[in-house]
Amino acid sequence: KKSRSGETTEESSKMEHRAQQLMKDAFPLLRMPSLADPNVILMSHTKMENNLIAQPQVRNLSNRIFGGFLMRRAFELAFASAYSFGGEWPQMLEVDNITFHTPVDVGDLLQFSSRVIYSLPDGGDLGDAVKKHSSKPLVMIEVECYVMEPEKAEAHLSNRFYFTFVLPTKDSCRKVLPGTLEEAKRMVQRMVADEEQAGLGTGYLLQYDLDK
């Protein structure tokens, strides 16, 4: 049986369980920060933003903003996020899913928002197609681009991007934990998707003690 989101009841139940487990792990950081593990950080504390007006110089033949320009701005913010999070110049390993929801017009007010969706302090394996990175900490960044409409006090999602960076000389990094159930579910979804893409049976979820 499938839910409205297309997930089976079993998959949905498993995701809910994992999300609740993550929230349990984050409880000390949320409620008793002085007693929390110093090597963890809330996802919300990794957030960075950038705002700009879409200019006509970067429009395409359809008079819309060129998608490559949006990708470049998203990458720049993702790189800055990984740099600030990891404390050293990161190396990009992979551009993952990129989704285009709605087009962007010249003159639109854009807000790019990034966050570390999760991290792998002990490193991960993206497969042989990616240059050597095993045992080095990985940082997974999510960037969302919103078209802001101040006149209506509204905004709508235009694009979502995912990037993976490695910290080349670090032995570890902080583990990211969610502050809300919604963040926890998004984190689990990305870890599962990245594991499947890398062809891994286990790995990413185990570093968060989320049993298969």
Side-chain angles (χ1 to χ4, degrees):
K1 183 178 179 180
K2 290 191 175 183
S3 64
R4 291 180 181 179
S5 63
E7 296 178 329
T8 65
T9 304
E10 182 181 356
E11 289 172 343
S12 180
S13 177
K14 186 179 290 186
M15 185 182 74
E16 185 74 24
H17 171 72
R18 288 167 170 167
Q20 291 290 353
Q21 192 173 334
L22 284 172
M23 291 305 300
K24 182 178 179 180
D25 293 342
F27 181 81
L29 196 57
L30 290 166
R31 302 301 180 188
M32 295 176 285
S34 64
L35 302 178
D37 184 344
N39 295 314
V40 299
I41 186 173
L42 289 174
M43 186 189 296
S44 60
H45 292 176
T46 69
K47 187 176 180 179
M48 298 183 73
E49 289 185 353
N50 189 16
N51 299 282
L52 59 96
I53 299 293
Q55 301 294 330
Q57 294 92 327
V58 290
R59 62 186 173 184
N60 57 25
L61 296 178
S62 301
N63 285 321
R64 306 280 194 177
I65 297 303
F66 179 51
F69 169 77
L70 301 176
M71 291 172 61
R72 180 169 69 88
R73 296 309 296 260
F75 168 75
E76 290 171 352
L77 184 59
F79 184 92
S81 297
Y83 192 5
S84 298
F85 175 80
E88 73 169 4
W89 194 269
Q91 294 178 359
M92 192 191 75
L93 289 181
E94 185 178 56
V95 179
D96 203 348
N97 294 30
I98 297 178
T99 55
F100 291 84
H101 297 274
T102 57
V104 176
D105 293 316
V106 173
D108 280 346
L109 173 60
L110 303 179
Q111 182 180 87
F112 288 84
S113 179
S114 70
R115 59 183 176 178
V116 180
I117 195 74
Y118 71 96
S119 60
L120 296 177
D122 298 331
D125 185 2
L126 299 179
D128 296 335
V130 180
K131 60 184 176 181
K132 188 175 180 180
H133 59 279
S134 61
S135 78
K136 294 298 180 182
L138 300 184
V139 183
M140 280 64 174
I141 307 289
E142 176 190 72
V143 180
E144 293 179 323
C145 175
Y146 284 88
V147 176
M148 313 298 286
E149 299 182 75
E151 296 87 354
K152 301 178 181 178
E154 294 177 356
H156 62 267
L157 180 67
S158 173
N159 307 89
R160 183 176 284 129
F161 310 83
Y162 290 97
F163 303 90
T164 300
F165 295 88
V166 63
L167 304 177
T169 69
K170 294 279 188 176
D171 294 324
S172 187
C173 67
R174 285 195 179 190
K175 180 186 286 187
V176 175
L177 290 175
T180 66
L181 189 58
E182 180 183 354
E183 289 179 349
K185 290 180 178 180
R186 180 69 67 83
M187 183 182 292
V188 171
Q189 287 174 338
R190 283 313 311 166
M191 281 192 277
V192 171
D194 289 344
E195 276 199 347
E196 291 177 350
Q197 179 176 310
L200 299 177
T202 59
Y204 295 6
L205 292 165
L206 288 181
Q207 289 198 41
Y208 279 80
D209 296 322
L210 301 176
D211 46 319
K212 298 291 285 186

mmCIF file of all heavy atoms in Angstrom, residues 81-121:
data_model
loop_
_atom_site.group_PDB
_atom_site.id
_atom_site.type_symbol
_atom_site.label_atom_id
_atom_site.label_comp_id
_atom_site.label_asym_id
_atom_site.label_seq_id
_atom_site.Cartn_x
_atom_site.Cartn_y
_atom_site.Cartn_z
ATOM 1 N N SER A 81 29.089 27.839 2.438
ATOM 2 C CA SER A 81 28.517 27.131 3.585
ATOM 3 C C SER A 81 29.440 26.004 4.043
ATOM 4 O O SER A 81 29.690 25.829 5.239
ATOM 5 C CB SER A 81 27.139 26.556 3.227
ATOM 6 O OG SER A 81 26.231 27.590 2.911
ATOM 7 N N ALA A 82 29.935 25.214 3.081
ATOM 8 C CA ALA A 82 30.839 24.119 3.426
ATOM 9 C C ALA A 82 32.143 24.643 4.011
ATOM 10 O O ALA A 82 32.697 24.062 4.955
ATOM 11 C CB ALA A 82 31.117 23.265 2.183
ATOM 12 N N TYR A 83 32.632 25.745 3.477
ATOM 13 C CA TYR A 83 33.864 26.378 3.970
ATOM 14 C C TYR A 83 33.678 26.850 5.407
ATOM 15 O O TYR A 83 34.513 26.584 6.291
ATOM 16 C CB TYR A 83 34.209 27.540 3.045
ATOM 17 C CG TYR A 83 35.590 28.144 3.211
ATOM 18 C CD1 TYR A 83 36.531 27.612 4.084
ATOM 19 C CD2 TYR A 83 35.962 29.260 2.466
ATOM 20 C CE1 TYR A 83 37.792 28.177 4.209
ATOM 21 C CE2 TYR A 83 37.219 29.829 2.574
ATOM 22 C CZ TYR A 83 38.131 29.280 3.455
ATOM 23 O OH TYR A 83 39.370 29.848 3.577
ATOM 24 N N SER A 84 32.578 27.533 5.677
ATOM 25 C CA SER A 84 32.305 28.044 7.024
ATOM 26 C C SER A 84 32.071 26.910 8.010
ATOM 27 O O SER A 84 32.465 26.997 9.176
ATOM 28 C CB SER A 84 31.073 28.961 6.997
ATOM 29 O OG SER A 84 31.291 30.077 6.167
ATOM 30 N N PHE A 85 31.424 25.853 7.542
ATOM 31 C CA PHE A 85 31.122 24.716 8.412
ATOM 32 C C PHE A 85 32.365 23.901 8.732
ATOM 33 O O PHE A 85 32.609 23.519 9.881
ATOM 34 C CB PHE A 85 30.074 23.828 7.743
ATOM 35 C CG PHE A 85 29.766 22.567 8.502
ATOM 36 C CD1 PHE A 85 28.915 22.577 9.596
ATOM 37 C CD2 PHE A 85 30.318 21.352 8.112
ATOM 38 C CE1 PHE A 85 28.632 21.416 10.308
ATOM 39 C CE2 PHE A 85 30.027 20.184 8.807
ATOM 40 C CZ PHE A 85 29.192 20.222 9.901
ATOM 41 N N GLY A 86 33.166 23.625 7.707
ATOM 42 C CA GLY A 86 34.297 22.720 7.876
ATOM 43 C C GLY A 86 35.571 23.356 8.379
ATOM 44 O O GLY A 86 36.446 22.671 8.896
ATOM 45 N N GLY A 87 35.698 24.669 8.201
ATOM 46 C CA GLY A 87 36.889 25.349 8.696
ATOM 47 C C GLY A 87 38.103 25.223 7.807
ATOM 48 O O GLY A 87 39.215 25.540 8.221
ATOM 49 N N GLU A 88 37.914 24.753 6.582
ATOM 50 C CA GLU A 88 39.004 24.710 5.605
ATOM 51 C C GLU A 88 38.408 24.747 4.205
ATOM 52 O O GLU A 88 37.213 24.530 4.016
ATOM 53 C CB GLU A 88 39.861 23.463 5.783
ATOM 54 C CG GLU A 88 39.217 22.161 5.334
ATOM 55 C CD GLU A 88 40.222 21.015 5.298
ATOM 56 O OE1 GLU A 88 41.378 21.218 5.682
ATOM 57 O OE2 GLU A 88 39.829 19.915 4.879
ATOM 58 N N TRP A 89 39.258 25.046 3.227
ATOM 59 C CA TRP A 89 38.816 25.136 1.836
ATOM 60 C C TRP A 89 38.330 23.768 1.377
ATOM 61 O O TRP A 89 39.113 22.818 1.288
ATOM 62 C CB TRP A 89 39.992 25.592 0.971
ATOM 63 C CG TRP A 89 39.646 26.036 -0.410
ATOM 64 C CD1 TRP A 89 39.609 25.271 -1.531
ATOM 65 C CD2 TRP A 89 39.313 27.365 -0.824
ATOM 66 N NE1 TRP A 89 39.263 26.023 -2.622
ATOM 67 C CE2 TRP A 89 39.083 27.323 -2.229
ATOM 68 C CE3 TRP A 89 39.180 28.592 -0.161
ATOM 69 C CZ2 TRP A 89 38.736 28.453 -2.957
ATOM 70 C CZ3 TRP A 89 38.838 29.710 -0.899
ATOM 71 C CH2 TRP A 89 38.613 29.635 -2.272
ATOM 72 N N PRO A 90 37.037 23.623 1.108
ATOM 73 C CA PRO A 90 36.494 22.301 0.738
ATOM 74 C C PRO A 90 36.715 21.992 -0.738
ATOM 75 O O PRO A 90 36.987 22.891 -1.545
ATOM 76 C CB PRO A 90 35.010 22.445 1.046
ATOM 77 C CG PRO A 90 34.737 23.898 0.774
ATOM 78 C CD PRO A 90 35.977 24.645 1.184
ATOM 79 N N GLN A 91 36.594 20.746 -1.063
ATOM 80 C CA GLN A 91 36.625 20.319 -2.461
ATOM 81 C C GLN A 91 35.257 19.748 -2.816
ATOM 82 O O GLN A 91 34.718 18.932 -2.072
ATOM 83 C CB GLN A 91 37.694 19.251 -2.679
ATOM 84 C CG GLN A 91 39.105 19.735 -2.483
ATOM 85 C CD GLN A 91 40.135 18.631 -2.660
ATOM 86 O OE1 GLN A 91 39.786 17.485 -2.911
ATOM 87 N NE2 GLN A 91 41.401 18.971 -2.519
ATOM 88 N N MET A 92 34.720 20.189 -3.944
ATOM 89 C CA MET A 92 33.425 19.667 -4.355
ATOM 90 C C MET A 92 33.610 18.292 -4.986
ATOM 91 O O MET A 92 34.453 18.112 -5.860
ATOM 92 C CB MET A 92 32.736 20.596 -5.345
ATOM 93 C CG MET A 92 31.270 20.220 -5.561
ATOM 94 S SD MET A 92 30.491 21.075 -6.922
ATOM 95 C CE MET A 92 31.201 20.220 -8.318
ATOM 96 N N LEU A 93 32.822 17.341 -4.536
ATOM 97 C CA LEU A 93 32.880 15.994 -5.081
ATOM 98 C C LEU A 93 31.770 15.719 -6.076
ATOM 99 O O LEU A 93 31.955 14.994 -7.042
ATOM 100 C CB LEU A 93 32.794 14.954 -3.946
ATOM 101 C CG LEU A 93 34.000 14.812 -3.033
ATOM 102 C CD1 LEU A 93 33.742 13.730 -2.000
ATOM 103 C CD2 LEU A 93 35.261 14.486 -3.830
ATOM 104 N N GLU A 94 30.605 16.314 -5.812
ATOM 105 C CA GLU A 94 29.448 15.900 -6.610
ATOM 106 C C GLU A 94 28.356 16.968 -6.600
ATOM 107 O O GLU A 94 28.094 17.597 -5.585
ATOM 108 C CB GLU A 94 28.891 14.594 -6.027
ATOM 109 C CG GLU A 94 27.760 13.976 -6.801
ATOM 110 C CD GLU A 94 27.314 12.665 -6.190
ATOM 111 O OE1 GLU A 94 26.970 12.653 -4.989
ATOM 112 O OE2 GLU A 94 27.313 11.651 -6.898
ATOM 113 N N VAL A 95 27.767 17.163 -7.769
ATOM 114 C CA VAL A 95 26.514 17.910 -7.871
ATOM 115 C C VAL A 95 25.413 16.865 -7.969
ATOM 116 O O VAL A 95 25.388 16.063 -8.905
ATOM 117 C CB VAL A 95 26.484 18.820 -9.110
ATOM 118 C CG1 VAL A 95 25.145 19.557 -9.183
ATOM 119 C CG2 VAL A 95 27.632 19.805 -9.076
ATOM 120 N N ASP A 96 24.537 16.862 -6.993
ATOM 121 C CA ASP A 96 23.507 15.836 -6.951
ATOM 122 C C ASP A 96 22.229 16.368 -7.602
ATOM 123 O O ASP A 96 22.294 17.129 -8.561
ATOM 124 C CB ASP A 96 23.262 15.406 -5.507
ATOM 125 C CG ASP A 96 22.654 14.018 -5.396
ATOM 126 O OD1 ASP A 96 22.217 13.483 -6.430
ATOM 127 O OD2 ASP A 96 22.600 13.481 -4.289
ATOM 128 N N ASN A 97 21.100 16.020 -7.053
ATOM 129 C CA ASN A 97 19.808 16.400 -7.641
ATOM 130 C C ASN A 97 19.671 17.916 -7.794
ATOM 131 O O ASN A 97 19.981 18.676 -6.889
ATOM 132 C CB ASN A 97 18.665 15.905 -6.756
ATOM 133 C CG ASN A 97 18.601 14.394 -6.707
ATOM 134 O OD1 ASN A 97 19.619 13.733 -6.837
ATOM 135 N ND2 ASN A 97 17.428 13.844 -6.507
ATOM 136 N N ILE A 98 19.180 18.317 -8.951
ATOM 137 C CA ILE A 98 18.802 19.710 -9.192
ATOM 138 C C ILE A 98 17.386 19.689 -9.735
ATOM 139 O O ILE A 98 17.102 19.019 -10.734
ATOM 140 C CB ILE A 98 19.740 20.397 -10.198
ATOM 141 C CG1 ILE A 98 21.164 20.457 -9.639
ATOM 142 C CG2 ILE A 98 19.234 21.802 -10.523
ATOM 143 C CD1 ILE A 98 22.161 21.080 -10.599
ATOM 144 N N THR A 99 16.492 20.385 -9.071
ATOM 145 C CA THR A 99 15.095 20.422 -9.509
ATOM 146 C C THR A 99 14.698 21.854 -9.840
ATOM 147 O O THR A 99 15.029 22.786 -9.098
ATOM 148 C CB THR A 99 14.151 19.857 -8.441
ATOM 149 O OG1 THR A 99 14.351 20.559 -7.207
ATOM 150 C CG2 THR A 99 14.422 18.380 -8.207
ATOM 151 N N PHE A 100 14.014 22.025 -10.956
ATOM 152 C CA PHE A 100 13.509 23.324 -11.397
ATOM 153 C C PHE A 100 11.987 23.290 -11.293
ATOM 154 O O PHE A 100 11.324 22.571 -12.031
ATOM 155 C CB PHE A 100 13.943 23.611 -12.839
ATOM 156 C CG PHE A 100 15.425 23.845 -12.984
ATOM 157 C CD1 PHE A 100 16.297 22.774 -13.109
ATOM 158 C CD2 PHE A 100 15.943 25.127 -12.985
ATOM 159 C CE1 PHE A 100 17.655 22.975 -13.245
ATOM 160 C CE2 PHE A 100 17.309 25.347 -13.114
ATOM 161 C CZ PHE A 100 18.169 24.272 -13.247
ATOM 162 N N HIS A 101 11.448 24.069 -10.370
ATOM 163 C CA HIS A 101 10.011 24.051 -10.122
ATOM 164 C C HIS A 101 9.274 25.121 -10.934
ATOM 165 O O HIS A 101 8.257 24.830 -11.561
ATOM 166 C CB HIS A 101 9.742 24.253 -8.625
ATOM 167 C CG HIS A 101 10.303 23.163 -7.765
ATOM 168 N ND1 HIS A 101 9.624 21.995 -7.508
ATOM 169 C CD2 HIS A 101 11.480 23.054 -7.109
ATOM 170 C CE1 HIS A 101 10.354 21.212 -6.726
ATOM 171 N NE2 HIS A 101 11.486 21.832 -6.479
ATOM 172 N N THR A 102 9.781 26.353 -10.896
ATOM 173 C CA THR A 102 9.146 27.441 -11.638
ATOM 174 C C THR A 102 10.221 28.324 -12.256
ATOM 175 O O THR A 102 11.320 28.451 -11.699
ATOM 176 C CB THR A 102 8.256 28.311 -10.725
ATOM 177 O OG1 THR A 102 9.043 28.835 -9.646
ATOM 178 C CG2 THR A 102 7.095 27.505 -10.165
ATOM 179 N N PRO A 103 9.950 28.935 -13.400
ATOM 180 C CA PRO A 103 10.951 29.798 -14.039
ATOM 181 C C PRO A 103 11.150 31.098 -13.272
ATOM 182 O O PRO A 103 10.317 31.491 -12.441
ATOM 183 C CB PRO A 103 10.353 30.055 -15.426
ATOM 184 C CG PRO A 103 8.875 29.897 -15.233
ATOM 185 C CD PRO A 103 8.712 28.830 -14.196
ATOM 186 N N VAL A 104 12.270 31.752 -13.554
ATOM 187 C CA VAL A 104 12.603 33.034 -12.926
ATOM 188 C C VAL A 104 12.619 34.113 -13.994
ATOM 189 O O VAL A 104 13.212 33.937 -15.069
ATOM 190 C CB VAL A 104 13.976 32.960 -12.232
ATOM 191 C CG1 VAL A 104 14.366 34.327 -11.668
ATOM 192 C CG2 VAL A 104 13.964 31.901 -11.128
ATOM 193 N N ASP A 105 11.955 35.228 -13.731
ATOM 194 C CA ASP A 105 11.877 36.326 -14.680
ATOM 195 C C ASP A 105 12.869 37.430 -14.328
ATOM 196 O O ASP A 105 13.305 37.569 -13.177
ATOM 197 C CB ASP A 105 10.462 36.912 -14.696
ATOM 198 C CG ASP A 105 9.434 35.935 -15.253
ATOM 199 O OD1 ASP A 105 9.729 35.292 -16.273
ATOM 200 O OD2 ASP A 105 8.341 35.824 -14.650
ATOM 201 N N VAL A 106 13.209 38.227 -15.332
ATOM 202 C CA VAL A 106 14.056 39.404 -15.111
ATOM 203 C C VAL A 106 13.363 40.328 -14.113
ATOM 204 O O VAL A 106 12.156 40.583 -14.216
ATOM 205 C CB VAL A 106 14.310 40.145 -16.438
ATOM 206 C CG1 VAL A 106 15.037 41.461 -16.193
ATOM 207 C CG2 VAL A 106 15.113 39.264 -17.393
ATOM 208 N N GLY A 107 14.098 40.806 -13.135
ATOM 209 C CA GLY A 107 13.546 41.708 -12.128
ATOM 210 C C GLY A 107 13.048 41.003 -10.885
ATOM 211 O O GLY A 107 12.720 41.671 -9.890
ATOM 212 N N ASP A 108 12.993 39.667 -10.902
ATOM 213 C CA ASP A 108 12.546 38.938 -9.715
ATOM 214 C C ASP A 108 13.555 39.109 -8.574
ATOM 215 O O ASP A 108 14.775 39.132 -8.795
ATOM 216 C CB ASP A 108 12.394 37.443 -10.011
ATOM 217 C CG ASP A 108 11.092 37.113 -10.731
ATOM 218 O OD1 ASP A 108 10.201 37.982 -10.763
ATOM 219 O OD2 ASP A 108 10.974 35.986 -11.252
ATOM 220 N N LEU A 109 13.028 39.188 -7.363
ATOM 221 C CA LEU A 109 13.865 39.201 -6.168
ATOM 222 C C LEU A 109 14.079 37.749 -5.745
ATOM 223 O O LEU A 109 13.124 37.038 -5.432
ATOM 224 C CB LEU A 109 13.188 39.988 -5.041
ATOM 225 C CG LEU A 109 13.875 39.936 -3.661
ATOM 226 C CD1 LEU A 109 15.297 40.486 -3.732
ATOM 227 C CD2 LEU A 109 13.047 40.693 -2.630
ATOM 228 N N LEU A 110 15.337 37.321 -5.755
ATOM 229 C CA LEU A 110 15.667 35.932 -5.445
ATOM 230 C C LEU A 110 16.328 35.821 -4.082
ATOM 231 O O LEU A 110 17.169 36.644 -3.720
ATOM 232 C CB LEU A 110 16.610 35.354 -6.507
ATOM 233 C CG LEU A 110 16.130 35.398 -7.961
ATOM 234 C CD1 LEU A 110 17.180 34.808 -8.880
ATOM 235 C CD2 LEU A 110 14.803 34.684 -8.113
ATOM 236 N N GLN A 111 15.958 34.797 -3.361
ATOM 237 C CA GLN A 111 16.602 34.491 -2.096
ATOM 238 C C GLN A 111 17.150 33.065 -2.155
ATOM 239 O O GLN A 111 16.396 32.110 -2.295
ATOM 240 C CB GLN A 111 15.632 34.621 -0.918
ATOM 241 C CG GLN A 111 16.288 34.343 0.437
ATOM 242 C CD GLN A 111 15.310 34.487 1.583
ATOM 243 O OE1 GLN A 111 14.620 33.527 1.927
ATOM 244 N NE2 GLN A 111 15.227 35.672 2.157
ATOM 245 N N PHE A 112 18.473 32.953 -2.069
ATOM 246 C CA PHE A 112 19.126 31.657 -2.002
ATOM 247 C C PHE A 112 19.392 31.332 -0.540
ATOM 248 O O PHE A 112 19.977 32.142 0.185
ATOM 249 C CB PHE A 112 20.446 31.670 -2.775
ATOM 250 C CG PHE A 112 20.300 31.717 -4.257
ATOM 251 C CD1 PHE A 112 20.107 32.930 -4.913
ATOM 252 C CD2 PHE A 112 20.349 30.560 -5.016
ATOM 253 C CE1 PHE A 112 19.968 32.989 -6.284
ATOM 254 C CE2 PHE A 112 20.210 30.605 -6.395
ATOM 255 C CZ PHE A 112 20.021 31.816 -7.040
ATOM 256 N N SER A 113 18.965 30.171 -0.120
ATOM 257 C CA SER A 113 19.127 29.747 1.271
ATOM 258 C C SER A 113 19.817 28.386 1.301
ATOM 259 O O SER A 113 19.374 27.448 0.642
ATOM 260 C CB SER A 113 17.768 29.668 1.974
ATOM 261 O OG SER A 113 17.908 29.228 3.310
ATOM 262 N N SER A 114 20.916 28.292 2.047
ATOM 263 C CA SER A 114 21.658 27.036 2.112
ATOM 264 C C SER A 114 21.704 26.532 3.546
ATOM 265 O O SER A 114 21.577 27.295 4.505
ATOM 266 C CB SER A 114 23.085 27.217 1.588
ATOM 267 O OG SER A 114 23.846 27.994 2.493
ATOM 268 N N ARG A 115 21.925 25.234 3.687
ATOM 269 C CA ARG A 115 22.134 24.621 4.993
ATOM 270 C C ARG A 115 22.843 23.288 4.792
ATOM 271 O O ARG A 115 22.754 22.687 3.711
ATOM 272 C CB ARG A 115 20.812 24.396 5.718
ATOM 273 C CG ARG A 115 19.818 23.512 4.993
ATOM 274 C CD ARG A 115 18.515 23.394 5.755
ATOM 275 N NE ARG A 115 17.514 22.618 5.011
ATOM 276 C CZ ARG A 115 16.304 22.333 5.476
ATOM 277 N NH1 ARG A 115 15.940 22.744 6.675
ATOM 278 N NH2 ARG A 115 15.445 21.638 4.753
ATOM 279 N N VAL A 116 23.546 22.859 5.817
ATOM 280 C CA VAL A 116 24.141 21.530 5.795
ATOM 281 C C VAL A 116 23.025 20.551 6.128
ATOM 282 O O VAL A 116 22.540 20.521 7.253
ATOM 283 C CB VAL A 116 25.300 21.406 6.805
ATOM 284 C CG1 VAL A 116 25.900 19.998 6.745
ATOM 285 C CG2 VAL A 116 26.371 22.451 6.532
ATOM 286 N N ILE A 117 22.598 19.778 5.139
ATOM 287 C CA ILE A 117 21.465 18.875 5.349
ATOM 288 C C ILE A 117 21.886 17.697 6.222
ATOM 289 O O ILE A 117 21.103 17.174 7.008
ATOM 290 C CB ILE A 117 20.883 18.410 3.991
ATOM 291 C CG1 ILE A 117 19.505 17.793 4.162
ATOM 292 C CG2 ILE A 117 21.817 17.501 3.260
ATOM 293 C CD1 ILE A 117 18.409 18.784 4.439
ATOM 294 N N TYR A 118 23.144 17.272 6.088
ATOM 295 C CA TYR A 118 23.755 16.327 7.028
ATOM 296 C C TYR A 118 25.240 16.248 6.732
ATOM 297 O O TYR A 118 25.715 16.724 5.694
ATOM 298 C CB TYR A 118 23.109 14.941 6.980
ATOM 299 C CG TYR A 118 23.379 14.111 5.747
ATOM 300 C CD1 TYR A 118 24.399 13.163 5.723
ATOM 301 C CD2 TYR A 118 22.587 14.244 4.611
ATOM 302 C CE1 TYR A 118 24.633 12.383 4.609
ATOM 303 C CE2 TYR A 118 22.812 13.461 3.493
ATOM 304 C CZ TYR A 118 23.839 12.543 3.488
ATOM 305 O OH TYR A 118 24.069 11.774 2.377
ATOM 306 N N SER A 119 25.994 15.679 7.659
ATOM 307 C CA SER A 119 27.434 15.531 7.485
ATOM 308 C C SER A 119 27.829 14.104 7.838
ATOM 309 O O SER A 119 27.124 13.409 8.569
ATOM 310 C CB SER A 119 28.199 16.528 8.364
ATOM 311 O OG SER A 119 27.882 16.316 9.732
ATOM 312 N N LEU A 120 28.975 13.690 7.317
ATOM 313 C CA LEU A 120 29.521 12.365 7.614
ATOM 314 C C LEU A 120 30.921 12.557 8.193
ATOM 315 O O LEU A 120 31.912 12.590 7.450
ATOM 316 C CB LEU A 120 29.569 11.500 6.358
ATOM 317 C CG LEU A 120 28.229 11.144 5.718
ATOM 318 C CD1 LEU A 120 28.457 10.349 4.430
ATOM 319 C CD2 LEU A 120 27.349 10.360 6.680
ATOM 320 N N PRO A 121 31.029 12.700 9.522
ATOM 321 C CA PRO A 121 32.332 12.952 10.143
ATOM 322 C C PRO A 121 33.363 11.872 9.856
ATOM 323 O O PRO A 121 34.567 12.157 9.782
ATOM 324 C CB PRO A 121 31.997 13.012 11.642
ATOM 325 C CG PRO A 121 30.556 13.408 11.683
ATOM 326 C CD PRO A 121 29.934 12.740 10.501
#
